[in-house]
Structures are given as C-alpha cells and as structure tokens.
Amino acid sequence: MFLVVPTPQAVADLVSTLVYQHIKAKPAAVLGLATGGTMEPIYAALVAKLQQQPLPLEKLTTFNLDEYVGLSAAHPQSYHYFMQQHLFAPLGLAPSQVHLPDGNCRNSAEECQAYSEQIAAAGGLDLQLLGIGSNGHIGFNEPGTPFDCNTHEIELTAQTRQDNLRFFADAAEVPTHAITMGICEIMAAREVILVATGQRKADIIAQLYTSGVDEQLPASVLKQHRNLKVIIDEDAAALLPTHLQQAG
Ligand code: GLP
C-alpha cells in the first residue's frame, strides 16, 4: 500500500502518470481533486504531459474536495483560484466540467446537500487524489469527524489554521470554517491515491502506518479502501520502519 519514491518530483511524475493513464483509459472519468502545496508539482507534471501528448478532455468531470467558507472564487487563497491557476485554465476545462463547493454560499446545508447530489448524479468518483494534513485530515475532515458523513461544513482546528497560515498575510485572515466532501464520498471513490511529501509529513505518515482505523486520524479510514495507493517521498517516509524508508 505504501509506495516510496526518492523525491517530490518523482512523486509528481508517478502520480501524474497514473492520472494521465486513467483519463486515457476513460475519457469520461470523474476525478476527485485536492489542493495544497503537495499537489502543485503533480498538477504541473500533468499539465506538461497533456501538452506533450494531448488527450480529449471534453468529457472529463472533476469535483474538488473542499473550499474555505467566506472566500469568493476570486480570492487568491480560495481553492477555486488555486485550481483555476494550476489545472483548469492550463487544461482549458470548461466551468461546466469542474465543481468545487461554494464557500460564499448563503445556506451551507443546502450547498452541501447539492454538492453531494452532484457527485452522486455524476456516478460517484472514479479516482480521488488526496493530500494529508499534519493532523491526519483528508479534505478538511478534521480528527473526530464521523466516518459516516457526506459533504458538510466543518470548523477548522487550530493546527490546520496554523499550517495554512503560510498562504495568508496574517492569522486573522485564515478562514475558520470550510465545506468539505465527507468520508463517505471519499471512501466511495473507486480508486484513491493519497500523496505526501517532505519531512513535515513524516510524523503523520508514521502514525498512519501504525494506526488502526480511528476517527481521531481521519486518513486511517482509507485502510478499509479496496483500491488505495499511498505515494510518498523519502522525506515523508523517514519515520516508517527501516525497510520502508527508501525508494524500492
Ligand atoms: C489542506 C487541504 C487538504 C490538503 C492538506 C495538505 O488543509 N484541505 O486537502 O491535503 O491541506 O496540504 P499541503 O499539501 O499544503 O501540505
């Protein structure tokens, strides 16, 4: 389940190849997408591959995991903006093909319900890409989130706000809430790839390796998934048992 490769670039090459092959095999794929620093080199590599060897993308559909509450799509730290910049604009994906929760919605319960229904109407997710928070969150499903949740609004933990402070001017600007796909929708994806790079993730990756399935470590639920790959670089593998620390 754990695949260790030497560097973040090697992670990007491998994961972008897997996504590319997925789209090639199924042009009408429904992709679940993630944001965060870990995804940037992956999306850059995917864009480069698709520029070198184009595939038809008109039938592709995407759903992102999450969005901050209170940020408009035009806010440079919104996940709408991130996705537009790193993937949707370079690939020329139409607005009708891509989906993210609306962080500026008036009624969050209605927005969450509608997002869940859209995922279901698309036939569920074929391939879900995930990063991992330093506290083990996936999407923004923070520790303690029940595993039987669909898309919902969540209060971000102090740890997550601290981790994401680096993207904002100051602490007061970091949103306190987010809308996130739930564990149910993530677990229903037919294939899941969780990615982690860098020393910053070594501790949570080691915890994930040893942990049983536990709501206090949301990513641990993936141990029950039938088609999961955890793809990490050697820095993120540094605290795993010795035989797993180096690229195979
Ligand atoms: C955010 C996102 C997650 C992401 C995590 C890790 O909180 N909601 O989907 O996996 O951060 O981000 P990074 O890749 O920047 O470490």
Side-chain angles (χ1 to χ4, degrees):
M1 174 176 97
F2 283 74
L3 276 172
V4 182
V5 297
T7 61
Q9 190 54 50
V11 169
D13 290 342
L14 175 56
V15 176
S16 62
T17 299
L18 293 172
V19 176
Y20 182 95
Q21 285 169 348
H22 199 102
I23 299 170
K24 192 173 180 180
K26 187 174 181 186
V30 181
L31 299 182
L33 299 175
T35 50
T38 313
M39 294 299 145
E40 289 183 27
I42 294 172
Y43 292 152
L46 181 61
V47 168
K49 274 194 180 66
L50 284 164
Q51 280 166 353
Q52 281 153 20
Q53 290 176 286
L55 294 174
L57 300 177
E58 299 77 31
K59 291 183 178 163
L60 197 66
T61 303
T62 73
F63 287 91
N64 263 79
L65 283 166
D66 46 12
E67 180 57 286
Y68 289 116
V69 168
L71 300 194
S72 73
H75 191 291
Q77 297 313 332
S78 73
Y79 288 164
H80 278 77
Y81 193 96
F82 176 102
M83 291 307 300
Q84 203 56 40
Q85 184 186 17
H86 293 285
L87 201 66
F88 301 158
L91 296 186
L93 299 185
S96 57
Q97 291 178 266
V98 303
H99 306 81
L100 291 97
D102 179 2
N104 249 352
C105 60
R106 293 219 177 134
N107 183 326
S108 156
E110 276 178 17
E111 172 65 14
C112 294
Q113 174 76 23
Y115 201 67
S116 282
E117 286 170 6
Q118 283 181 307
I119 295 171
L125 306 162
D126 287 309
L127 170 63
Q128 177 65 56
L129 280 185
L130 295 172
I132 185 168
S134 65
N135 62 2
H137 72 221
I138 47 176
F140 270 131
N141 291 281
E142 297 281 34
T145 306
F147 283 162
D148 61 357
C149 268
N150 281 324
T151 301
H152 61 286
E153 181 172 340
I154 191 152
E155 182 173 9
L156 302 176
T157 62
Q159 170 81 63
T160 295
R161 296 185 71 225
Q162 178 62 36
D163 286 348
N164 289 347
L165 173 58
R166 68 191 195 281
F167 297 114
F168 292 86
D170 60 61
E173 273 196 30
V174 184
T176 57
H177 291 73
I179 293 177
T180 181
M181 225 186 251
I183 297 289
C184 278
E185 288 140 337
I186 294 171
M187 285 297 282
R190 289 176 272 284
E191 183 178 350
V192 175
I193 301 177
L194 183 139
V195 187
T197 55
Q199 274 181 330
R200 211 162 56 84
K201 297 292 167 68
D203 186 50
I204 193 64
I205 288 297
Q207 284 183 49
L208 176 62
Y209 181 76
T210 48
S211 170
V213 173
D214 180 350
E215 285 182 352
Q216 291 309 315
L217 202 174
S220 67
V221 73
L222 299 170
K223 293 188 168 192
Q224 294 177 333
H225 197 281
R226 277 176 297 174
N227 190 359
L228 167 71
K229 290 186 185 71
V230 178
I231 301 180
I232 60 178
D233 71 348
E234 288 184 352
D235 282 345
L239 300 176
L240 289 178
T242 324
H243 71 280
L244 286 173
Q245 284 176 12
Q246 281 175 356

Tab-separated table of all heavy atoms in Angstrom, residues 33-82:
chain	number	residue	atom	x	y	z
A	33	LEU	N	-10.439	15.867	-6.887
A	33	LEU	CA	-9.161	16.594	-6.854
A	33	LEU	C	-8.917	17.258	-5.511
A	33	LEU	O	-9.852	17.597	-4.786
A	33	LEU	CB	-9.146	17.638	-7.967
A	33	LEU	CG	-9.284	17.081	-9.388
A	33	LEU	CD1	-9.377	18.216	-10.401
A	33	LEU	CD2	-8.127	16.147	-9.727
A	34	ALA	N	-7.635	17.446	-5.228
A	34	ALA	CA	-7.215	18.046	-3.958
A	34	ALA	C	-6.414	19.316	-4.224
A	34	ALA	O	-5.941	19.533	-5.337
A	34	ALA	CB	-6.352	17.040	-3.191
A	35	THR	N	-6.249	20.110	-3.190
A	35	THR	CA	-5.418	21.315	-3.279
A	35	THR	C	-4.258	21.161	-2.288
A	35	THR	O	-4.077	20.107	-1.694
A	35	THR	CB	-6.244	22.561	-2.940
A	35	THR	OG1	-6.936	22.309	-1.719
A	35	THR	CG2	-7.232	22.879	-4.042
A	36	GLY	N	-3.488	22.228	-2.115
A	36	GLY	CA	-2.364	22.193	-1.178
A	36	GLY	C	-1.044	22.154	-1.924
A	36	GLY	O	-0.993	21.805	-3.119
A	37	GLY	N	0.014	22.500	-1.205
A	37	GLY	CA	1.354	22.565	-1.798
A	37	GLY	C	1.772	21.247	-2.422
A	37	GLY	O	2.448	21.229	-3.462
A	38	THR	N	1.371	20.125	-1.836
A	38	THR	CA	1.760	18.801	-2.346
A	38	THR	C	1.266	18.586	-3.773
A	38	THR	O	1.911	17.890	-4.556
A	38	THR	CB	1.164	17.701	-1.428
A	38	THR	OG1	1.429	18.052	-0.077
A	38	THR	CG2	1.733	16.341	-1.734
A	39	MET	N	0.126	19.170	-4.084
A	39	MET	CA	-0.483	18.928	-5.403
A	39	MET	C	0.141	19.784	-6.505
A	39	MET	O	0.011	19.453	-7.685
A	39	MET	CB	-1.998	19.207	-5.356
A	39	MET	CG	-2.755	18.248	-4.479
A	39	MET	SD	-2.611	16.553	-5.060
A	39	MET	CE	-2.588	15.672	-3.491
A	40	GLU	N	0.820	20.872	-6.140
A	40	GLU	CA	1.302	21.804	-7.181
A	40	GLU	C	2.218	21.122	-8.203
A	40	GLU	O	1.975	21.225	-9.407
A	40	GLU	CB	1.967	23.025	-6.548
A	40	GLU	CG	0.964	23.930	-5.874
A	40	GLU	CD	1.603	25.176	-5.296
A	40	GLU	OE1	2.656	25.617	-5.816
A	40	GLU	OE2	1.057	25.703	-4.306
A	41	PRO	N	3.295	20.410	-7.761
A	41	PRO	CA	4.134	19.749	-8.775
A	41	PRO	C	3.407	18.635	-9.526
A	41	PRO	O	3.736	18.342	-10.684
A	41	PRO	CB	5.322	19.196	-7.976
A	41	PRO	CG	4.938	19.265	-6.551
A	41	PRO	CD	3.842	20.277	-6.414
A	42	ILE	N	2.425	18.033	-8.902
A	42	ILE	CA	1.656	16.968	-9.574
A	42	ILE	C	0.843	17.571	-10.721
A	42	ILE	O	0.846	17.063	-11.843
A	42	ILE	CB	0.731	16.249	-8.565
A	42	ILE	CG1	1.587	15.506	-7.533
A	42	ILE	CG2	-0.244	15.305	-9.277
A	42	ILE	CD1	0.814	14.917	-6.371
A	43	TYR	N	0.162	18.681	-10.443
A	43	TYR	CA	-0.630	19.313	-11.498
A	43	TYR	C	0.281	19.870	-12.600
A	43	TYR	O	-0.050	19.789	-13.786
A	43	TYR	CB	-1.543	20.399	-10.908
A	43	TYR	CG	-2.633	19.825	-10.024
A	43	TYR	CD1	-3.181	20.556	-8.973
A	43	TYR	CD2	-3.124	18.539	-10.232
A	43	TYR	CE1	-4.185	20.026	-8.160
A	43	TYR	CE2	-4.113	17.995	-9.429
A	43	TYR	CZ	-4.637	18.748	-8.395
A	43	TYR	OH	-5.618	18.203	-7.603
A	44	ALA	N	1.439	20.415	-12.210
A	44	ALA	CA	2.375	20.931	-13.228
A	44	ALA	C	2.822	19.787	-14.141
A	44	ALA	O	2.879	19.947	-15.369
A	44	ALA	CB	3.575	21.590	-12.559
A	45	ALA	N	3.104	18.628	-13.558
A	45	ALA	CA	3.550	17.478	-14.359
A	45	ALA	C	2.415	16.957	-15.246
A	45	ALA	O	2.638	16.566	-16.396
A	45	ALA	CB	4.067	16.373	-13.441
A	46	LEU	N	1.207	16.964	-14.720
A	46	LEU	CA	0.057	16.500	-15.510
A	46	LEU	C	-0.202	17.437	-16.691
A	46	LEU	O	-0.444	16.992	-17.821
A	46	LEU	CB	-1.187	16.396	-14.607
A	46	LEU	CG	-2.467	15.913	-15.279
A	46	LEU	CD1	-2.306	14.507	-15.863
A	46	LEU	CD2	-3.646	15.924	-14.281
A	47	VAL	N	-0.128	18.744	-16.418
A	47	VAL	CA	-0.319	19.727	-17.497
A	47	VAL	C	0.745	19.523	-18.572
A	47	VAL	O	0.445	19.488	-19.773
A	47	VAL	CB	-0.289	21.172	-16.930
A	47	VAL	CG1	-0.189	22.203	-18.057
A	47	VAL	CG2	-1.519	21.434	-16.066
A	48	ALA	N	2.003	19.330	-18.151
A	48	ALA	CA	3.100	19.143	-19.116
A	48	ALA	C	2.851	17.879	-19.960
A	48	ALA	O	3.002	17.909	-21.186
A	48	ALA	CB	4.436	19.046	-18.385
A	49	LYS	N	2.446	16.798	-19.309
A	49	LYS	CA	2.176	15.546	-20.053
A	49	LYS	C	1.068	15.755	-21.076
A	49	LYS	O	1.158	15.293	-22.211
A	49	LYS	CB	1.713	14.455	-19.085
A	49	LYS	CG	2.849	13.711	-18.463
A	49	LYS	CD	2.362	12.425	-17.786
A	49	LYS	CE	3.546	11.714	-17.183
A	49	LYS	NZ	4.184	12.447	-16.077
A	50	LEU	N	0.009	16.447	-20.642
A	50	LEU	CA	-1.135	16.635	-21.538
A	50	LEU	C	-0.813	17.609	-22.673
A	50	LEU	O	-1.448	17.570	-23.720
A	50	LEU	CB	-2.358	17.095	-20.742
A	50	LEU	CG	-3.018	15.963	-19.942
A	50	LEU	CD1	-3.955	16.505	-18.874
A	50	LEU	CD2	-3.790	15.016	-20.879
A	51	GLN	N	0.174	18.473	-22.432
A	51	GLN	CA	0.596	19.358	-23.525
A	51	GLN	C	1.435	18.583	-24.532
A	51	GLN	O	1.314	18.765	-25.740
A	51	GLN	CB	1.356	20.568	-22.976
A	51	GLN	CG	0.393	21.622	-22.441
A	51	GLN	CD	1.058	22.679	-21.577
A	51	GLN	OE1	2.239	22.578	-21.245
A	51	GLN	NE2	0.291	23.687	-21.194
A	52	GLN	N	2.280	17.668	-23.997
A	52	GLN	CA	3.144	16.878	-24.895
A	52	GLN	C	2.344	15.823	-25.669
A	52	GLN	O	2.547	15.607	-26.845
A	52	GLN	CB	4.248	16.201	-24.090
A	52	GLN	CG	5.395	17.143	-23.742
A	52	GLN	CD	6.117	16.716	-22.471
A	52	GLN	OE1	6.020	15.555	-22.063
A	52	GLN	NE2	6.809	17.644	-21.842
A	53	GLN	N	1.453	15.170	-24.937
A	53	GLN	CA	0.650	14.105	-25.564
A	53	GLN	C	-0.816	14.340	-25.231
A	53	GLN	O	-1.359	13.740	-24.294
A	53	GLN	CB	1.084	12.744	-25.047
A	53	GLN	CG	2.473	12.341	-25.545
A	53	GLN	CD	2.906	11.035	-24.927
A	53	GLN	OE1	3.259	10.972	-23.751
A	53	GLN	NE2	2.872	9.985	-25.716
A	54	PRO	N	-1.464	15.225	-25.982
A	54	PRO	CA	-2.837	15.620	-25.641
A	54	PRO	C	-3.822	14.446	-25.640
A	54	PRO	O	-3.666	13.488	-26.395
A	54	PRO	CB	-3.204	16.628	-26.728
A	54	PRO	CG	-1.912	17.116	-27.267
A	54	PRO	CD	-0.949	15.964	-27.144
A	55	LEU	N	-4.786	14.552	-24.752
A	55	LEU	CA	-5.915	13.615	-24.708
A	55	LEU	C	-7.182	14.449	-24.816
A	55	LEU	O	-7.192	15.614	-24.405
A	55	LEU	CB	-5.938	12.873	-23.360
A	55	LEU	CG	-4.785	11.926	-23.034
A	55	LEU	CD1	-4.925	11.408	-21.599
A	55	LEU	CD2	-4.753	10.763	-24.016
A	56	PRO	N	-8.270	13.851	-25.327
A	56	PRO	CA	-9.530	14.611	-25.321
A	56	PRO	C	-10.012	14.776	-23.882
A	56	PRO	O	-10.086	13.795	-23.134
A	56	PRO	CB	-10.477	13.726	-26.134
A	56	PRO	CG	-9.854	12.378	-26.188
A	56	PRO	CD	-8.397	12.519	-25.936
A	57	LEU	N	-10.300	16.012	-23.487
A	57	LEU	CA	-10.692	16.269	-22.094
A	57	LEU	C	-12.132	16.751	-21.960
A	57	LEU	O	-12.595	17.063	-20.863
A	57	LEU	CB	-9.757	17.323	-21.473
A	57	LEU	CG	-8.265	16.951	-21.426
A	57	LEU	CD1	-7.450	18.114	-20.867
A	57	LEU	CD2	-8.053	15.703	-20.587
A	58	GLU	N	-12.850	16.807	-23.109
A	58	GLU	CA	-14.191	17.411	-23.083
A	58	GLU	C	-15.166	16.641	-22.203
A	58	GLU	O	-16.133	17.206	-21.695
A	58	GLU	CB	-14.792	17.486	-24.496
A	58	GLU	CG	-14.024	18.306	-25.503
A	58	GLU	CD	-12.791	17.585	-26.033
A	58	GLU	OE1	-12.822	16.342	-26.116
A	58	GLU	OE2	-11.789	18.254	-26.350
A	59	LYS	N	-14.917	15.343	-22.037
A	59	LYS	CA	-15.889	14.533	-21.277
A	59	LYS	C	-15.502	14.373	-19.809
A	59	LYS	O	-16.222	13.733	-19.044
A	59	LYS	CB	-16.019	13.155	-21.930
A	59	LYS	CG	-16.706	13.219	-23.271
A	59	LYS	CD	-16.885	11.834	-23.846
A	59	LYS	CE	-17.627	11.898	-25.175
A	59	LYS	NZ	-17.460	10.672	-25.937
A	60	LEU	N	-14.355	14.919	-19.452
A	60	LEU	CA	-13.873	14.797	-18.077
A	60	LEU	C	-14.745	15.635	-17.129
A	60	LEU	O	-15.202	16.716	-17.499
A	60	LEU	CB	-12.440	15.328	-18.044
A	60	LEU	CG	-11.569	14.979	-16.859
A	60	LEU	CD1	-11.306	13.479	-16.832
A	60	LEU	CD2	-10.240	15.737	-16.967
A	61	THR	N	-14.965	15.109	-15.926
A	61	THR	CA	-15.670	15.865	-14.881
A	61	THR	C	-14.798	15.855	-13.634
A	61	THR	O	-14.177	14.837	-13.323
A	61	THR	CB	-17.021	15.185	-14.557
A	61	THR	OG1	-17.791	15.093	-15.744
A	61	THR	CG2	-17.807	15.973	-13.515
A	62	THR	N	-14.729	16.974	-12.934
A	62	THR	CA	-13.941	16.998	-11.692
A	62	THR	C	-14.758	17.549	-10.529
A	62	THR	O	-15.610	18.427	-10.707
A	62	THR	CB	-12.653	17.842	-11.840
A	62	THR	OG1	-13.002	19.235	-11.863
A	62	THR	CG2	-11.870	17.490	-13.090
A	63	PHE	N	-14.465	17.010	-9.355
A	63	PHE	CA	-15.026	17.506	-8.090
A	63	PHE	C	-13.883	17.723	-7.111
A	63	PHE	O	-13.128	16.780	-6.832
A	63	PHE	CB	-15.998	16.481	-7.481
A	63	PHE	CG	-17.298	16.386	-8.218
A	63	PHE	CD1	-17.465	15.477	-9.245
A	63	PHE	CD2	-18.354	17.223	-7.870
A	63	PHE	CE1	-18.664	15.390	-9.936
A	63	PHE	CE2	-19.570	17.148	-8.558
A	63	PHE	CZ	-19.724	16.229	-9.585
A	64	ASN	N	-13.753	18.935	-6.606
A	64	ASN	CA	-12.728	19.145	-5.584
A	64	ASN	C	-13.230	18.760	-4.208
A	64	ASN	O	-14.431	18.728	-3.943
A	64	ASN	CB	-12.280	20.610	-5.576
A	64	ASN	CG	-11.020	20.777	-6.371
A	64	ASN	OD1	-11.072	20.822	-7.591
A	64	ASN	ND2	-9.884	20.819	-5.697
A	65	LEU	N	-12.260	18.475	-3.362
A	65	LEU	CA	-12.590	18.028	-2.008
A	65	LEU	C	-13.249	19.102	-1.163
A	65	LEU	O	-14.137	18.806	-0.367
A	65	LEU	CB	-11.301	17.636	-1.273
A	65	LEU	CG	-10.688	16.303	-1.620
A	65	LEU	CD1	-9.267	16.232	-1.064
A	65	LEU	CD2	-11.536	15.186	-1.021
A	66	ASP	N	-12.764	20.342	-1.297
A	66	ASP	CA	-13.149	21.297	-0.251
A	66	ASP	C	-12.950	22.742	-0.691
A	66	ASP	O	-12.336	23.017	-1.718
A	66	ASP	CB	-12.359	21.011	1.042
A	66	ASP	CG	-10.864	20.784	0.802
A	66	ASP	OD1	-10.385	21.069	-0.312
A	66	ASP	OD2	-10.188	20.319	1.727
A	67	GLU	N	-13.488	23.633	0.118
A	67	GLU	CA	-13.307	25.082	-0.083
A	67	GLU	C	-13.485	25.790	1.262
A	67	GLU	O	-14.261	25.348	2.121
A	67	GLU	CB	-14.329	25.608	-1.097
A	67	GLU	CG	-14.255	27.104	-1.403
A	67	GLU	CD	-12.896	27.581	-1.918
A	67	GLU	OE1	-11.959	27.657	-1.079
A	67	GLU	OE2	-12.796	27.893	-3.124
A	68	TYR	N	-12.752	26.866	1.427
A	68	TYR	CA	-12.903	27.685	2.638
A	68	TYR	C	-14.247	28.413	2.628
A	68	TYR	O	-14.661	28.932	1.586
A	68	TYR	CB	-11.817	28.753	2.684
A	68	TYR	CG	-10.427	28.242	2.952
A	68	TYR	CD1	-9.427	28.373	1.999
A	68	TYR	CD2	-10.090	27.665	4.179
A	68	TYR	CE1	-8.128	27.941	2.244
A	68	TYR	CE2	-8.801	27.234	4.434
A	68	TYR	CZ	-7.829	27.373	3.466
A	68	TYR	OH	-6.554	26.943	3.721
A	69	VAL	N	-14.879	28.492	3.790
A	69	VAL	CA	-16.097	29.295	3.926
A	69	VAL	C	-15.696	30.767	4.004
A	69	VAL	O	-14.771	31.136	4.734
A	69	VAL	CB	-16.893	28.873	5.192
A	69	VAL	CG1	-17.989	29.891	5.507
A	69	VAL	CG2	-17.485	27.483	4.995
A	70	GLY	N	-16.375	31.585	3.214
A	70	GLY	CA	-16.172	33.031	3.283
A	70	GLY	C	-15.242	33.567	2.207
A	70	GLY	O	-15.105	34.773	2.060
A	71	LEU	N	-14.581	32.686	1.456
A	71	LEU	CA	-13.719	33.174	0.372
A	71	LEU	C	-14.445	33.026	-0.960
A	71	LEU	O	-14.978	31.959	-1.265
A	71	LEU	CB	-12.401	32.398	0.305
A	71	LEU	CG	-11.486	32.429	1.531
A	71	LEU	CD1	-10.085	31.901	1.156
A	71	LEU	CD2	-11.360	33.810	2.145
A	72	SER	N	-14.433	34.106	-1.739
A	72	SER	CA	-15.046	34.026	-3.069
A	72	SER	C	-14.090	33.312	-4.007
A	72	SER	O	-12.892	33.174	-3.706
A	72	SER	CB	-15.320	35.434	-3.597
A	72	SER	OG	-14.084	36.017	-3.957
A	73	ALA	N	-14.604	32.899	-5.154
A	73	ALA	CA	-13.775	32.193	-6.141
A	73	ALA	C	-12.614	33.068	-6.619
A	73	ALA	O	-11.588	32.555	-7.070
A	73	ALA	CB	-14.640	31.769	-7.323
A	74	ALA	N	-12.768	34.397	-6.498
A	74	ALA	CA	-11.722	35.297	-6.988
A	74	ALA	C	-10.630	35.544	-5.946
A	74	ALA	O	-9.604	36.155	-6.252
A	74	ALA	CB	-12.357	36.636	-7.380
A	75	HIS	N	-10.843	35.079	-4.712
A	75	HIS	CA	-9.834	35.300	-3.667
A	75	HIS	C	-8.600	34.447	-3.976
A	75	HIS	O	-8.717	33.237	-4.181
A	75	HIS	CB	-10.425	34.914	-2.301
A	75	HIS	CG	-9.562	35.340	-1.154
A	75	HIS	ND1	-8.339	34.764	-0.887
A	75	HIS	CD2	-9.738	36.287	-0.197
A	75	HIS	CE1	-7.802	35.328	0.181
A	75	HIS	NE2	-8.637	36.268	0.613
A	76	PRO	N	-7.406	35.045	-3.968
A	76	PRO	CA	-6.207	34.285	-4.361
A	76	PRO	C	-5.916	33.068	-3.478
A	76	PRO	O	-5.197	32.172	-3.907
A	76	PRO	CB	-5.073	35.309	-4.240
A	76	PRO	CG	-5.732	36.634	-4.262
A	76	PRO	CD	-7.124	36.465	-3.736
A	77	GLN	N	-6.457	33.027	-2.270
A	77	GLN	CA	-6.238	31.840	-1.427
A	77	GLN	C	-7.403	30.860	-1.459
A	77	GLN	O	-7.394	29.855	-0.731
A	77	GLN	CB	-5.923	32.247	0.022
A	77	GLN	CG	-4.641	33.043	0.152
A	77	GLN	CD	-3.465	32.420	-0.607
A	77	GLN	OE1	-3.398	31.204	-0.800
A	77	GLN	NE2	-2.551	33.263	-1.069
A	78	SER	N	-8.414	31.177	-2.273
A	78	SER	CA	-9.521	30.213	-2.360
A	78	SER	C	-9.053	29.005	-3.168
A	78	SER	O	-8.128	29.095	-3.984
A	78	SER	CB	-10.738	30.846	-3.038
A	78	SER	OG	-10.505	31.001	-4.428
A	79	TYR	N	-9.672	27.871	-2.927
A	79	TYR	CA	-9.307	26.673	-3.686
A	79	TYR	C	-9.827	26.757	-5.120
A	79	TYR	O	-9.247	26.149	-6.031
A	79	TYR	CB	-9.806	25.421	-2.961
A	79	TYR	CG	-9.014	25.124	-1.700
A	79	TYR	CD1	-9.496	24.248	-0.730
A	79	TYR	CD2	-7.772	25.712	-1.463
A	79	TYR	CE1	-8.770	23.968	0.419
A	79	TYR	CE2	-7.037	25.438	-0.319
A	79	TYR	CZ	-7.543	24.559	0.613
A	79	TYR	OH	-6.816	24.286	1.748
A	80	HIS	N	-10.906	27.547	-5.348
A	80	HIS	CA	-11.332	27.826	-6.730
A	80	HIS	C	-10.166	28.452	-7.501
A	80	HIS	O	-9.855	28.048	-8.617
A	80	HIS	CB	-12.496	28.824	-6.747
A	80	HIS	CG	-13.848	28.238	-6.501
A	80	HIS	ND1	-14.299	27.886	-5.258
A	80	HIS	CD2	-14.867	27.950	-7.356
A	80	HIS	CE1	-15.529	27.411	-5.349
A	80	HIS	NE2	-15.906	27.430	-6.606
A	81	TYR	N	-9.562	29.445	-6.884
A	81	TYR	CA	-8.478	30.195	-7.543
A	81	TYR	C	-7.290	29.271	-7.794
A	81	TYR	O	-6.697	29.249	-8.874
A	81	TYR	CB	-8.083	31.365	-6.642
A	81	TYR	CG	-7.207	32.399	-7.307
A	81	TYR	CD1	-7.745	33.549	-7.873
A	81	TYR	CD2	-5.819	32.242	-7.355
A	81	TYR	CE1	-6.937	34.506	-8.476
A	81	TYR	CE2	-5.003	33.179	-7.952
A	81	TYR	CZ	-5.572	34.319	-8.509
A	81	TYR	OH	-4.761	35.261	-9.099
A	82	PHE	N	-6.938	28.481	-6.769
A	82	PHE	CA	-5.813	27.532	-6.868
A	82	PHE	C	-6.020	26.592	-8.057
A	82	PHE	O	-5.112	26.371	-8.876
A	82	PHE	CB	-5.715	26.731	-5.563
A	82	PHE	CG	-4.653	25.653	-5.553
A	82	PHE	CD1	-3.432	25.847	-4.905
A	82	PHE	CD2	-4.873	24.420	-6.173
A	82	PHE	CE1	-2.453	24.849	-4.891
A	82	PHE	CE2	-3.898	23.416	-6.165
A	82	PHE	CZ	-2.689	23.644	-5.525
